[in-house]
């Protein structure tokens, strides 16, 4: 089951509340499988934050996932993945991995190659704290935030107001995250 954007629901789909909840749970279970596929066989549990956003305007939300936890993060931050629904395999496919990200994470109002740009906080690991604008290159977002365009810290209010907050949690990996285990 794909995760439809709210706008797609407004375009005439008539679903009961329980159908919407079941579709969301199915989407989360499929996303859990995709997240596990990024991990090696030695991991026994993974925590992650996720958010859904239609980055490419096709009416189907992509999933932004930020893995968190003592086994998944370093001093520079944690990995962020973007997953897209694959209609042929009926599963989420990872289309982008960005290392050393910190929250908050925004979907910018600007677009590159038909996809919304991402704004991530780059901090820790001894580096200078700054927000980075990550542009979609046609295949994915940059592997490292340092390959993005530096924005000022704190973000100017016009950027914050025109962007969509995707992930913002000060709790490291306990409150608000999803825990999956083998």
């Amino acid at each position: 089951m794909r995760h439809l954007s709210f706008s797609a629901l407004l375009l005439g789909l008539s679903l009961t509340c329980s159908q919407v909840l079941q579709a969301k749970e199915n989407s989360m279970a499929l996303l859990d499988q995709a997240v596990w596929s990024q991990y090696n066989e030695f991991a026994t549990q993974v925590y992650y934050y996720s958010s859904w956003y239609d980055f490419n305007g096709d009416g189907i939300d992509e999933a932004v996932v930020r893995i968190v936890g003592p086994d998944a993060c370093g001093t520079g931050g944690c990995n962020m993945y973007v997953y897209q629904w694959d209609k042929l395999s009926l599963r989420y496919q990872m289309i982008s991995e960005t290392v050393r990200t910190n929250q908050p994470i925004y979907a910018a109002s600007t677009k590159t190659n038909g996809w919304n740009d991402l704004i991530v906080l780059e901090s820790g690991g001894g580096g200078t704290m700054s927000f980075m604008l990550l542009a979609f290159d046609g295949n994915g977002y940059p592997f490292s935030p340092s390959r993005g365009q530096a924005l000022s810290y704190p973000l100017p209010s016009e950027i914050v107001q025109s962007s969509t907050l995707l992930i913002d949690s000060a709790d490291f990996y306990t409150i608000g995250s999803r825990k999956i285990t083998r």
Side-chain angles (χ1 to χ4, degrees):
M1 172 82 47
R2 44 190 188 171
H3 191 170
L4 298 175
S5 65
F6 184 70
S7 59
L9 290 174
L10 293 178
L11 291 175
L13 293 177
S14 178
L15 300 174
T16 66
C17 190
S18 64
Q19 288 172 319
V20 170
L21 291 174
Q22 183 62 48
K24 181 176 180 180
E25 189 54 41
N26 289 346
S27 289
M28 291 305 295
L30 290 169
L31 184 58
D32 288 349
Q33 291 173 5
V35 169
W36 266 124
S37 72
Q38 302 308 123
Y39 266 77
N40 66 42
E41 66 275 10
F42 301 111
T44 58
Q45 64 184 8
V46 172
Y47 293 89
Y48 71 88
Y49 292 96
S50 64
S51 186
W52 305 87
Y53 191 82
D54 186 7
F55 286 96
N56 60 4
D58 67 355
I60 301 172
D61 289 342
E62 284 70 41
V64 177
V65 170
R66 185 166 179 270
I67 306 291
V68 293
D71 297 327
C73 303
T75 59
C78 306
N79 289 3
M80 176 187 72
Y81 300 93
V82 177
Y83 293 91
Q84 183 178 32
W85 180 252
D86 182 9
K87 297 172 191 167
L88 295 176
S89 67
L90 299 178
R91 61 183 50 193
Y92 287 99
Q93 301 291 328
M94 194 241 335
I95 60 163
S96 187
E97 175 184 13
T98 304
V99 299
R100 297 185 326 274
T101 65
N102 292 283
Q103 69 274 355
I105 297 171
Y106 293 92
S109 59
T110 56
K111 291 187 174 218
T112 305
N113 292 314
W115 286 62
N116 288 82
D117 298 329
L118 281 168
I119 300 171
V120 301
L121 180 62
E122 183 177 43
S123 66
T128 304
M129 183 181 296
S130 61
F131 280 98
M132 303 301 288
L133 182 73
L134 306 180
F136 190 80
D137 68 5
N139 295 311
Y141 294 95
F143 181 71
S144 172
S146 62
R147 293 187 179 162
Q149 174 189 344
L151 303 172
S152 62
Y153 181 86
L155 277 176
S157 61
E158 63 271 9
I159 292 177
V160 172
Q161 291 170 358
S162 67
S163 301
T164 302
L165 180 64
L166 298 176
I167 298 174
D168 181 23
S169 176
D171 300 307
F172 187 55
Y173 64 94
T174 54
I175 299 172
S177 67
R178 185 164 172 95
K179 176 183 175 182
I180 52 177
T181 58
R182 287 194 205 258

